[in-house]
Amino acid sequence: MQIFDLTGRRALVTGSSQGIGLALAKGLAEAGAAVVLNGRDESKLAAAAKDVPGATTIAFDVTDHAAARAAIDAFEASTGAIDILVNNAGMQFRAPLEDFPADAFAMLLQTNVASVFNVGQACARHMIGRGSGKIINIASVQTALARPSIAPYTATKGAVGNLTKGMCTDWAKYGLQCNAIAPGYFDTPLNAALVADKDFSAWLEKRTPAGRWGNVEELVGACVFLASPASSFVNGHTLYVDGGITASL
């Protein structure tokens, strides 16, 4: 269906050398987009690009506002428009809240929240001039729910959900659609320790109505929808892809 066709669009996916970011990059490429992979490690990006047809790479630190803006501006000037941005870069750190290291909290804020602002603003400046653009922020089931030992992470993902609403409120009038995808529990490198924990996996399977971990490929449909003309009047929305965990007590 042409309404989901991304042919002729260019998509930048941050934190896309592995996990959810790489899966979304592959899916966007399959839908016709020219994909640009981002990360800090150029060798990892080069390896990932081999798995994404036609992909190019752009290495910069998403937590550095000046570096992000310079990289986006240079890319737009030399290569062309970024029509779709997927703000996927993120990190996790687990510790009891009473013992949570202050430096880890600061790092979570920079990686999970400031990066969305940094890259989102840099891309939006160009999208506004063109009168169109898609920004997709990767939130989390923790945008709505909390669990022990990850309170600061939960705070950052709540912030991503609200920043998405703010982006919509400021930028929809310029023709941008700004939305978020909130994954539930997916089998990714970020969750490797939890996947390996038999007790946690048993709890998760019982807690989730779908009865299992998610597979990263199951996020692709939501991403393609939000990146495509099919979502032209969807704005400021957080789409939960979580096997029903936020719907059930």
Side-chain angles (χ1 to χ4, degrees):
M1 296 176 63
Q2 288 190 348
I3 200 169
F4 296 102
D5 186 12
L6 299 181
T7 301
R9 313 286 177 89
R10 181 178 289 109
L12 168 63
V13 185
T14 69
S16 49
S17 60
Q18 64 180 6
I20 288 174
L22 181 55
L24 296 181
K26 290 178 180 178
L28 292 169
E30 289 173 3
V35 174
V36 184
L37 304 180
N38 160 261
R40 290 178 297 182
D41 188 326
E42 293 189 12
S43 61
K44 287 182 68 175
L45 284 176
K50 295 177 181 178
D51 293 331
V52 183
T56 57
T57 65
I58 178 172
F60 63 89
D61 183 350
V62 295
T63 69
D64 184 329
H65 183 269
R69 183 170 180 181
I72 297 301
D73 288 352
F75 185 91
E76 287 255 352
S78 65
T79 305
I82 295 170
D83 306 293
I84 301 157
L85 166 64
V86 181
N87 272 314
N88 169 76
M91 65 167 290
Q92 175 65 287
F93 189 95
R94 295 179 174 86
L97 185 56
E98 64 273 20
D99 299 321
F100 208 94
D103 59 345
F105 190 17
M107 190 178 299
L108 281 167
L109 290 171
Q110 285 299 116
T111 306
N112 295 354
V113 184
S115 68
V116 175
F117 167 76
N118 293 343
V119 187
Q121 184 190 66
C123 288
R125 289 175 186 270
H126 296 278
M127 292 173 174
I128 288 169
R130 292 189 288 267
S132 65
K134 299 278 192 173
I135 296 178
I136 304 166
N137 300 323
I138 303 303
S140 168
V141 68
Q142 268 77 44
T143 300
L145 302 174
R147 272 193 53 78
S149 81
I150 58 168
Y153 177 85
T154 301
T156 66
K157 290 303 182 177
V160 170
N162 276 328
L163 184 52
T164 300
K165 293 177 182 179
M167 288 177 168
C168 160
T169 302
D170 277 14
W171 297 338
K173 63 187 176 185
Y174 299 119
L176 278 63
Q177 287 91 54
C178 307
N179 296 288
I181 298 172
Y185 283 87
F186 281 75
D187 186 353
T188 68
L190 195 67
N191 286 329
L194 295 180
V195 174
D197 186 331
K198 293 182 180 179
D199 291 338
F200 183 87
S201 286
W203 171 85
L204 180 67
E205 290 166 6
K206 184 177 180 180
R207 174 67 179 80
T208 305
R212 61 178 176 83
W213 286 87
N215 299 311
V216 289
E217 292 76 17
E218 293 176 296
L219 293 165
V220 169
C223 189
V224 170
F225 165 63
L226 292 177
S228 73
S231 60
S232 60
F233 203 58
V234 180
N235 225 328
H237 179 67
T238 297
L239 175 56
Y240 286 85
V241 183
D242 64 359
I245 198 169
T246 53
S248 175
L249 289 173

